[in-house]
Each structure stands twice: as structure tokens, then as C-alpha cells.
Amino acid sequence: MKLHFIILACTVTLAFVSCAKTPDTETIRLYVSASESYASGKFPETIEILCKEKKFAPALVLRAKAEYFSGDFDNAEKTCRAAIRRRPSSFEAKLFLARVLREKDDLKGAVQLIESLLADNPQDIRALRLAAELAGQTGKNDEASAFLDRAAEFSAESAMVLLDRARLRWTAGKGREALEDLSRAKAMLPWGTPLLRTIVNLEKIISEVM
């Protein structure tokens, strides 16, 4: 736990080293604690831990996500907007704000926001999926299909990340974890691609050795 705190504290501090004021130790401690609660699906607990946080953008984003998954869309919208005011470049805050607006039936606002996100992040699979869902909701099925085609194309990058991690895990003697990564990577790709053959061959080697 202590090591986890140190690692995450360093990461958070480095991420904000260019800001006028970096977060203090107590803020980081609360953020680490809330992150662990969020990862465990304890959304009310996450919200409670961060309820008094007003300035640290990552904490605001985390609270907004917990509020979203708790179904508290009004507060999630407020917290997302607060996070964006603190850090206008926050992709995560804008993405979840678009999701909140969709849940609140503000499709026009959600579409405008997702179009803005895709203008700056055209390869982001999460944004493409949400864009496809919004297009489908407004009856633009051809447009939804185009977004999903783009998302499928870029998913190959994610598959390559999993392949690279599988190789590292196999080298480190973690065969079972490597096979899990390969299985996930394989599911992302269509049959017949060269990358898929590479994944299948490595999967076969690992399985035979194990």
C-alpha cells in the first residue's frame, strides 16, 4: 500500500509539474484512496472521499465518473464542468460529460461535445463508440456504421499493445497472464490478418510449454 501510494503520488505530481501549484500530500492521499475505492466498484465511497475536493482536476474527474456510474447524472454534470473549468484540456472530463448529456437526453449537446473531442482525438475508440451510439439514437445508421468501422480499425493498435505485454509476461515467466493478453488481443482482430497469425503462433508456443 505504501509503495502504491508513493508511485501514484509521483505520477500525479509529475503530471502537474507544469502547473502553478502542485497538489499537496493530503490531496494525493485522498486521490489514491478514492482511486482504490473506484477500482473496486465502490462508487458511493469514492464520492464521499472526494466530496470536499474543489480544485484538483483528476479528483474531480474521478468523482464525476463515480457519480455517473451511480446514476447521479445531475451532480456528475456539475462535477464534469468543474473539472473542465480547472483543466480545459481534460479529455476524460469531456468524454464523461458527453455521456452524461446523452443520459439526460441532451443529444444535441452530447453530439457537439463528441464532435469536438474527435476533432482533437480522431483515433480514440471510446469517443468513436459514443459517437456511433449517438448517431444510432438520432437515426443516422450509416454514420454510426462509419464510426464503428473506424473504431474497429484502430482497435488493432490496442491488440498490438496486448501482444507486446504478452511477450513481456511470457519472458517474465507469467505464462497464464500472457495467454490472457493474447486471448483478448485475438478477439479484437478479424481472421486472416498477419498480426492475428503472430498472436496465434505465440499462443500455441506458450500453451505447449505450459
Side-chain angles (χ1 to χ4, degrees):
M1 173 64 184
K2 184 177 181 181
L3 178 60
H4 176 70
F5 172 79
I6 293 172
I7 293 172
L8 188 50
C10 290
T11 302
V12 172
T13 302
L14 285 172
F16 285 83
V17 70
S18 61
C19 298
K21 184 178 180 181
T22 56
D24 56 35
T25 302
E26 177 62 15
T27 299
I28 294 174
R29 187 191 68 78
L30 288 175
Y31 180 69
V32 171
S33 177
S35 296
E36 292 174 345
S37 294
Y38 180 84
S40 299
K42 300 175 181 177
F43 303 129
E45 183 177 298
T46 303
I47 297 168
E48 183 178 356
I49 293 172
L50 298 175
C51 65
K52 295 182 180 179
E53 180 56 51
K54 305 294 184 183
K55 297 181 179 180
F56 187 42
L60 289 171
V61 172
L62 185 62
R63 190 175 84 206
K65 290 164 66 174
E67 289 166 341
Y68 171 82
F69 287 119
S70 297
D72 187 355
F73 302 128
D74 287 337
N75 277 323
E77 179 179 357
K78 293 176 184 176
T79 309
C80 280
R81 294 190 185 281
I84 294 169
R85 285 195 296 271
R86 298 299 303 180
R87 194 179 184 191
S89 62
S90 176
F91 176 88
E92 195 84 358
K94 292 177 182 178
L95 178 66
F96 270 84
L97 178 57
R99 289 173 172 169
V100 168
L101 293 178
R102 180 191 61 179
E103 295 293 342
K104 297 179 72 173
D105 294 323
D106 183 1
L107 296 184
K108 182 178 179 180
V111 168
Q112 289 177 342
L113 191 51
I114 206 66
E115 287 177 348
S116 174
L117 286 176
L118 284 174
D120 295 327
N121 305 272
Q123 299 183 9
D124 189 90
I125 294 175
R126 294 173 301 168
L128 287 168
R129 286 185 63 245
L130 182 53
E133 290 175 8
L134 290 168
Q137 281 185 261
T138 53
K140 300 176 181 178
N141 293 331
D142 289 343
E143 190 174 314
S145 180
F147 282 128
L148 290 176
D149 286 343
R150 287 169 59 189
E153 177 184 347
F154 295 132
S155 69
E157 292 294 327
S158 299
M160 291 178 68
V161 170
L162 289 169
L163 174 59
D164 290 341
R165 190 170 72 173
R167 285 171 172 155
L168 285 174
R169 284 179 162 177
W170 172 235
T171 302
K174 299 178 180 179
R176 188 176 302 279
E177 291 88 342
L179 287 174
E180 289 175 358
D181 277 346
L182 292 174
S183 178
R184 291 172 58 195
K186 189 167 58 176
M188 293 179 177
L189 299 171
W191 285 99
T193 64
L195 180 59
L196 183 60
R197 289 195 293 272
T198 300
I199 291 171
V200 171
N201 288 338
L202 181 56
E203 189 176 45
K204 182 179 179 181
I205 292 171
I206 295 173
S207 297
E208 288 176 351
V209 173
M210 292 180 64

